[in-house]
Amino acid sequence: MKKTSTRLADGRELIYYDLRDDTVRTAADRRPLDRTVTTSEIRRDVLLGDSVAIASHRQGRTYHPPADECPLCPTRGERLSEIPDSSYDVVVFENRFPSLAGDSGRCEVVCFTSDHDASFADLTGEQARLVLDAWTDRTSELSHLPSVEQVFCFENRGEEIGVTLGHPHGQIYAYPFTTPRTALMLRSIAAHKEATGGENLFDAVLRRETADRRVVLEGEHWVAFVPYAAHWPYEVHLYPKRRVPDLLALDEAARTEFPQVYLELLRRFDRIFAAGDGGRGAADEPRTPYIAAWHQAPFGALEEFDGVTRDDFALHLELFTIRRTSGKLKFLAGSESGMNVFINDVPPERAAERLREVASS
């Protein structure tokens, strides 16, 4: 992997990650952009104990542009974009309309490929490995920023999810606090550790989950399963078999196997509904909308979590779709949005069975 860092016309950082070591990146951003001005602010909710990012400048962000005006495609001739060069493998750059900025953290965009019509599932193993290396490198770099306490790499795919740019891409949020979801896990780890005399909760969960009939696929170094208490109709958790706190701690064997396992998992997600979903799907069903989210240990202090260390946390990826069957979405209505109590219409055992059924030949 070759890494080349440069600056866009408004001062934002852009980084090329290339498969070839002899690739030269010298193209300049020719757009007449003013310096980016953001109004991001973090406000604390004292009743719920969580935080909200107020970012009014995001109202003006690019919204469903036509394909020939996509800002994530390479620059071609006089069609100027966020990426100055005429081609790329993987690119990461500071978001022009960030939810977090300055002392409130940082937001970055990760473009997985220059092919506008592709999806992550279409990448080769070599390309997917390059994305993993980019995620890892950004996690390392962002963790050293004084305002950053947790790094979150994720992908939103599909208009149903709320994606406004169709180009295959993800994002990285560097939060100035430990997120509520992670804090819940850390408190559960602490309680289990105390109740069992030191047993790691993630180890216990992984033993239970992989012993049941909800395993979707398994490699030598990774295992994917539908969790016992899945919140979403089709939800899969992907774990390295050796517990590590973050992407930085993955060994070479796990990195090498990751593309094979993850790409197969994504391709199965695309086949769930197109293949029929129990006879109700359609051959022309659009690609499955999903969210893919990496859970990593925070880099900030953990004193409030009663003896929990970063090494007690287990890196894992959560992949889920809001589609519950062909042509129907799972909406977060009163119970989910108002009380944070999920109601799942698809039994996790059936979801796992379905994902096994659509395995490639």
Side-chain angles (χ1 to χ4, degrees):
M1 179 187 77
K2 181 179 180 182
K3 176 182 175 182
T4 306
S5 180
T6 184
R7 292 282 172 180
L8 296 173
D10 56 6
R12 289 175 293 131
E13 185 178 21
L14 180 143
I15 306 162
Y16 294 97
Y17 292 90
D18 287 297
L19 292 168
R20 292 175 56 95
D21 289 337
D22 59 353
T23 303
V24 177
R25 299 294 185 185
T26 58
D29 185 1
R30 293 180 282 137
R31 296 173 298 171
L33 298 180
D34 294 328
R35 286 275 173 174
T36 301
V37 177
T38 63
T39 57
S40 180
E41 176 189 357
I42 301 296
R43 295 187 181 181
R44 182 78 172 169
D45 186 322
V46 296
L47 288 178
L48 295 180
D50 60 11
S51 299
V52 177
I54 309 297
S56 59
H57 63 277
R58 285 172 51 80
Q59 288 281 34
R61 65 187 185 275
T62 308
Y63 187 80
H64 292 300
D68 60 357
E69 296 179 17
C70 174
L72 305 185
C73 286
T75 288
R76 300 280 169 79
E78 295 307 309
R79 192 187 76 173
L80 309 180
S81 76
E82 289 280 66
I83 296 91
D85 219 322
S86 59
S87 67
Y88 63 84
D89 292 331
V90 173
V91 166
V92 177
F93 60 87
E94 289 184 75
N95 198 320
R96 191 177 179 187
F97 304 97
S99 303
L100 309 166
D103 293 338
S104 297
R106 176 159 157 152
C107 293
E108 298 182 340
V109 176
V110 184
C111 297
F112 303 138
T113 171
S114 60
D115 184 351
H116 180 85
D117 297 318
S119 176
F120 200 119
D122 298 323
L123 300 183
T124 66
E126 187 180 35
Q127 290 173 309
R129 169 61 191 265
L130 184 61
V131 176
L132 175 64
D133 289 342
W135 282 332
T136 304
D137 181 71
R138 297 316 301 152
T139 296
S140 176
E141 292 291 326
L142 294 170
S143 71
H144 289 94
L145 297 179
S147 63
V148 171
E149 192 164 309
Q150 186 172 358
V151 178
F152 176 46
C153 306
F154 64 101
E155 179 192 1
N156 299 326
R157 190 184 77 167
E159 290 187 19
E160 301 96 325
I161 297 293
V163 174
T164 57
L165 296 176
H167 196 102
H169 73 287
Q171 300 181 67
I172 302 175
Y173 277 20
Y175 296 102
F177 50 79
T178 296
T179 61
R181 186 78 176 275
T182 303
L184 284 174
M185 286 189 269
L186 292 170
R187 292 188 186 100
S188 295
I189 293 169
H192 185 83
K193 197 172 186 179
E194 182 178 3
T196 60
E199 182 185 44
N200 182 272
L201 177 59
F202 278 110
D203 292 348
V205 166
L206 200 57
R207 281 197 307 272
R208 184 187 72 181
E209 299 282 17
T210 55
D212 214 320
R213 57 193 176 98
R214 286 172 282 95
V215 172
V216 174
L217 60 88
E218 185 171 4
E220 183 179 354
H221 304 283
W222 295 86
V223 61
F225 56 87
V226 177
Y228 173 74
H231 289 57
W232 299 94
Y234 289 91
E235 174 184 334
V236 175
H237 292 190
L238 176 63
Y239 277 72
K241 292 184 177 179
R242 182 178 70 88
R243 173 165 46 90
V244 294
D246 53 37
L247 291 166
L248 303 174
L250 286 174
D251 60 23
E252 184 57 31
R255 293 181 184 280
T256 299
E257 187 182 70
F258 172 78
Q260 171 190 342
V261 175
Y262 187 50
L263 289 173
E264 171 61 18
L265 192 57
L266 292 179
R267 289 162 187 166
R268 291 191 192 190
F269 256 61
D270 273 342
R271 290 192 290 266
I272 300 172
F273 305 106
D277 190 20
R280 293 183 297 278
D284 60 351
E285 187 78 40
R287 288 186 167 188
T288 302
Y290 66 71
I291 292 175
W294 280 108
H295 294 275
Q296 305 192 79
F299 291 93
L302 300 177
E303 287 85 354
E304 64 178 290
F305 301 107
D306 298 327
V308 172
T309 69
R310 295 192 77 251
D311 289 335
D312 289 319
F313 196 87
L315 168 76
H316 60 286
L317 182 138
E318 181 181 355
L319 174 68
F320 64 89
T321 179
I322 62 171
R323 186 177 292 163
R324 54 188 175 88
T325 189
S326 180
K328 297 179 181 179
L329 301 181
K330 164 66 178 177
F331 292 102
L332 300 189
S335 185
E336 292 89 353
S337 295
M339 285 290 123
N340 201 27
V341 178
F342 276 68
I343 300 168
N344 190 351
D345 302 319
V346 180
E349 293 74 20
R350 174 54 187 155
E353 180 184 15
R354 183 76 188 125
L355 285 162
R356 290 193 296 269
E357 287 174 352
V358 296
S360 58
S361 58

